[in-house]
Amino acid sequence: EVQLQASGGGLVQAGGFLRLSCAASGFTFDDYTVGWFRQAPGKEREGVSSIRHGRVQYYADSVKGRFTMPSDNAKNTVYLQMNILKPEDTAVYYCAAGQPEWYTDSYTKTNEYDYWGQGTEVTVSS
């Protein structure tokens, strides 16, 4: 059974940092694209970052320079290191896995991912 479990969310003040984890079972991360998405209440889910074969494919403009996506294939785990957090980063963060089509920016699209974790909530206070 393919499972993804996101964890590490919490409440932090603006300017702080937080590290999210995504642990996978039932498949190996190295064979899939793994992405982070986030969704604020009343808004559509948006792509944050993704990794394939150990290479980070993109960071959303809104997080570029503040977030990084380390990985540990031996543990089938990826992370989202979030620094200099802003109130607008407040959202439920999801990790997902899939094998997106090879077209430009396919890995940023929600519907290109087949497996989803339940999400972890991040709240950034001002």
Side-chain angles (χ1 to χ4, degrees):
E1 180 182 0
V2 174
Q3 291 185 326
L4 293 163
Q5 184 174 5
S7 61
L11 173 65
V12 297
Q13 291 188 334
F17 61 91
L18 203 61
R19 185 182 69 187
L20 307 183
S21 299
C22 175
S25 61
F27 68 99
T28 57
F29 271 23
D30 193 53
D31 294 331
Y32 284 78
T33 296
V34 180
W36 284 101
F37 295 79
R38 66 185 183 183
Q39 186 169 21
K43 297 184 178 180
E44 294 186 353
R45 195 169 298 182
E46 63 177 354
V48 177
S49 184
S50 68
I51 189 168
R52 172 178 165 81
H53 292 164
R55 179 179 62 84
V56 175
Q57 296 170 301
Y58 83 103
Y59 293 104
D61 288 343
S62 58
V63 308
K64 195 174 300 181
R66 299 187 297 118
F67 291 11
T68 59
M69 192 178 180
S71 62
D72 186 343
N73 282 356
K75 296 182 178 180
N76 269 10
T77 301
V78 300
Y79 307 89
L80 187 66
Q81 180 65 50
M82 305 183 294
N83 302 315
I84 319 175
L85 284 161
K86 303 176 180 180
E88 50 263 45
D89 295 319
T90 295
V92 177
Y93 284 72
Y94 300 88
C95 62
Q99 296 178 313
E101 296 289 337
W102 287 98
Y103 62 88
T104 302
D105 296 334
S106 65
Y107 40 78
T108 70
K109 309 300 183 182
T110 300
N111 61 7
E112 293 290 338
Y113 292 80
D114 299 315
Y115 306 106
W116 292 82
Q118 292 185 342
T120 185
E121 186 173 355
V122 173
T123 302
V124 184
S125 62
S126 60

